[in-house]
Amino acid sequence: MIIERIVGNIAYADVDNRHVERVYLRSDDLVKRVQRVTTDYGNEIGIRLTERKNLTDGDILYLDDRNTIVVHVMADDLLVIRPVNMTQMGDIAHQLGNRHLPAQFEGDEMLVQYDYLVEELLKQLDIPYERTERKVKQAFRHIGHQHG
C-alpha cells in the first residue's frame, strides 16, 4: 500500500468502531515525504506524500469502514529550558542560535533535543532546565544558513 495523502487527524475524526494500527515515527521522520514504515501489526506501507505538508502526531494515513492507520510520534530526549527573565532567554537564545540548534516553544518553555554540550552551557549560565522524554508536536527543523 502506498499512502499519498493525509486523510485527517485522529483528534478530529471518529474512529471508534475501527481497528486502529499505529505507525511509530521519530520526530525527525515527520518531515520525510517519502519513507517505508511498518505498523504495530507488522503491515508494511509506503508513504509518498504529494502535498508539501509534514506529518504530525495523530495524522490518519488510511481510513475505511473497518480500519485506520495513524501516525504516533515517539518521545524525544529533550532539554526543557525555563529562563526566569528576558536576560536568560536572550543569553540562551543567542548561544543556541550560534550553534544553529533548532528550538520549539510551548508556553514559557524552550525545547531543544538533548545535547550534553547544551546541558553544560545551561549549567554554566545557571538557567533552569530539565532533561525529559516528551513528544513534540512537530519535527525539529534545521534552518540552512551560511555565514558570509
Side-chain angles (χ1 to χ4, degrees), residues 52-141:
R52 293 193 76 50
K53 181 178 186 266
N54 294 335
L55 293 168
T56 60
D57 189 53
D59 277 348
I60 300 171
L61 301 175
Y62 177 80
L63 181 69
D64 67 16
D65 292 339
R66 295 183 307 214
N67 299 296
T68 187
I69 300 174
V70 178
V71 171
H72 181 87
V73 179
M74 296 185 291
D76 277 297
D77 187 8
L78 300 176
L79 290 171
V80 179
I81 305 167
R82 298 181 184 96
V84 294
N85 56 44
M86 286 299 289
T87 301
Q88 283 188 346
M89 176 55 98
D91 284 345
I92 194 61
H94 178 76
Q95 294 286 341
L96 296 177
N98 280 342
R99 291 170 170 81
H100 302 282
L101 287 178
Q104 295 183 26
F105 298 88
E106 291 183 5
D108 293 337
E109 299 176 332
M110 175 187 271
L111 310 177
V112 296
Q113 290 175 309
Y114 177 78
D115 181 296
Y116 74 95
L117 293 173
V118 173
E119 185 175 34
E120 287 300 316
L121 177 65
L122 291 165
K123 288 176 185 175
Q124 289 171 6
L125 295 174
D126 199 29
I127 297 175
Y129 76 94
E130 158 188 26
R131 182 177 178 184
T132 188
E133 294 275 325
R134 186 191 290 187
K135 265 194 212 186
V136 293
K137 295 178 181 160
Q138 58 190 349
F140 284 94
R141 298 194 66 129

Side-chain angles (χ1 to χ4, degrees), residues 20-32:
V20 177
E21 293 187 40
R22 289 173 183 79
V23 172
Y24 290 91
L25 298 177
R26 295 184 342 215
S27 65
D28 54 343
D29 291 331
L30 297 174
V31 297
K32 297 178 182 175

